[in-house]
């Protein structure tokens, strides 16, 4: 299954410059952590009770719109929940997805801590961080252990795209930790997993819409699930 790409610093310099001008291309990477990126514990002894993990899916499942999920083209306000089909390495099911956006002035100390070149950090001085907060609720008890929070398509008030840091190392900033993989126990009905993705731009051009475009939805406005600020 696809994972987020790793991109060199030189590419990020271009992304930052373009984003502040309102023309960064959004990322559309996948939603499931690669199987090879986890580690397993020691094998149990022959006398100890054993437990068997649910088997991996061997093919990418086909997700479908049902009576339980929202239809393509659904429009919601920030803070409203959409029920969407979803899958992990183990199974497919449905989750409730709620998104909100917070805008804060980017502190110099947090900018200094980002894995960027000095010239890229300079471009962020005086700008704003936009925290895209995602809340996923396990609706039906499907084993969704270690799924990745969706990467949503963000657009700003002007119709452009905010900047973002893709494929980087530690990009934690105050109020938005880079913890976008669900825990291993995200498999119980009603379980909640919250994530935060960092974007940036100017205060006068904040994020005003976020779109979920993963199958069975699409990138076209009439086929996406879109949240707006009003």
């Amino acid at each position: 299954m696809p994972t987020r790409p790793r991109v060199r610093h030189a590419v990020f310099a271009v992304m930052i410059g373009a984003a502040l001008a309102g023309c960064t291309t959004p990322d559309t990477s996948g939603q499931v952590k690669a199987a090879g990126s986890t580690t397993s514990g020691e094998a149990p002894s022959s006398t100890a009770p054993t437990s068997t993990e649910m088997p991996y899916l061997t093919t990418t499942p086909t997700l479908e719109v049902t009576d339980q999920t929202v239809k393509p083209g659904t429009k919601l306000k920030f803070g409203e929940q959409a029920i969407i089909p979803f899958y992990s390495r183990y199974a497919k099911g449905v989750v409730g997805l709620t998104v909100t956006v917070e805008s804060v002035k980017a502190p110099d100390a947090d900018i200094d801590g980002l894995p960027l070149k000095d010239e890229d950090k300079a471009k962020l001085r005086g700008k704003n961080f936009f925290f895209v907060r995602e809340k996923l609720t396990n609706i039906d008890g499907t084993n969704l252990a270690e799924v990745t929070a969706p990467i949503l398509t963000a657009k700003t008030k002007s119709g452009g795209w905010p900047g973002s840091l893709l494929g980087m190392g530690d990009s934690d900033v105050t109020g938005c930790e880079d913890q976008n993989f669900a825990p291993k126990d995200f498999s119980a009905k009603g379980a909640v997993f919250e994530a935060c993705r960092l974007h940036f731009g100017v205060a006068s051009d904040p994020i005003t819409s976020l779109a979920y475009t993963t199958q069975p939805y699409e990138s076209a406005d009439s086929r996406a699930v879109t949240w707006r600020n009003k």
Side-chain angles (χ1 to χ4, degrees):
M1 297 183 184
T3 56
R4 292 179 293 178
R6 298 185 63 84
V7 187
R8 296 178 183 276
H9 285 298
V11 175
F12 288 99
V14 174
M15 289 183 63
I16 291 171
L20 299 182
C23 57
T24 298
T25 302
D27 177 67
T28 55
S29 58
Q31 66 186 21
V32 182
K33 188 175 181 180
S37 60
T38 61
T39 57
S40 58
E42 296 181 357
S45 67
S46 59
T47 57
T50 61
S51 60
T52 302
E53 257 191 25
M54 294 180 68
Y56 292 154
L57 292 175
T58 57
T59 60
T60 300
T62 299
L63 300 182
E64 301 170 338
V65 174
T66 68
D67 291 341
Q68 188 179 14
T69 62
V70 296
K71 303 298 186 285
T74 296
K75 304 293 191 296
L76 306 100
K77 294 179 181 179
F78 287 166
E80 292 183 333
Q81 185 186 74
I83 307 297
I84 58 175
F86 213 70
Y87 71 94
S88 69
R89 291 180 293 144
Y90 307 103
K92 68 177 183 178
V94 292
V95 299
L97 177 59
T98 305
V99 300
T100 58
V101 179
E102 181 183 358
S103 176
V104 300
K105 186 173 181 180
D108 286 344
D110 282 335
I111 293 173
D112 290 337
L114 292 173
L116 297 171
K117 294 181 179 179
D118 289 342
E119 56 264 34
D120 293 333
K121 292 178 181 180
K123 296 174 183 177
L124 295 181
R125 309 276 182 204
K127 302 303 187 295
N128 270 39
F129 286 152
F130 303 133
F131 300 157
V132 173
R133 303 190 187 280
E134 301 179 35
K135 178 181 177 181
L136 281 76
T137 302
N138 190 322
I139 298 297
D140 57 0
T142 298
N143 185 356
L144 298 176
E146 300 178 288
V147 293
T148 306
I151 297 179
L152 306 173
T153 301
K155 286 191 177 180
T156 64
K157 182 179 179 181
S158 68
W161 291 282
S164 60
L165 305 178
L166 307 176
M168 302 298 285
D170 184 2
S171 58
D172 288 354
V173 297
T174 303
C176 189
E177 295 184 355
D178 184 18
Q179 296 179 350
N180 294 305
F181 292 117
K184 291 185 177 181
D185 61 357
F186 190 54
S187 57
K189 184 176 181 178
V192 172
F193 159 51
E194 296 187 53
C196 181
R197 294 194 183 278
L198 176 65
H199 297 265
F200 49 84
V202 294
S204 60
D205 193 26
I207 293 174
T208 55
S209 74
L210 294 161
Y212 181 76
T213 61
T214 302
Q215 68 161 28
Y217 309 101
E218 301 172 19
S219 58
D221 190 56
S222 62
R223 299 288 299 174
V225 179
T226 306
W227 289 262
R228 302 183 189 280
N229 64 339
K230 60 179 179 179

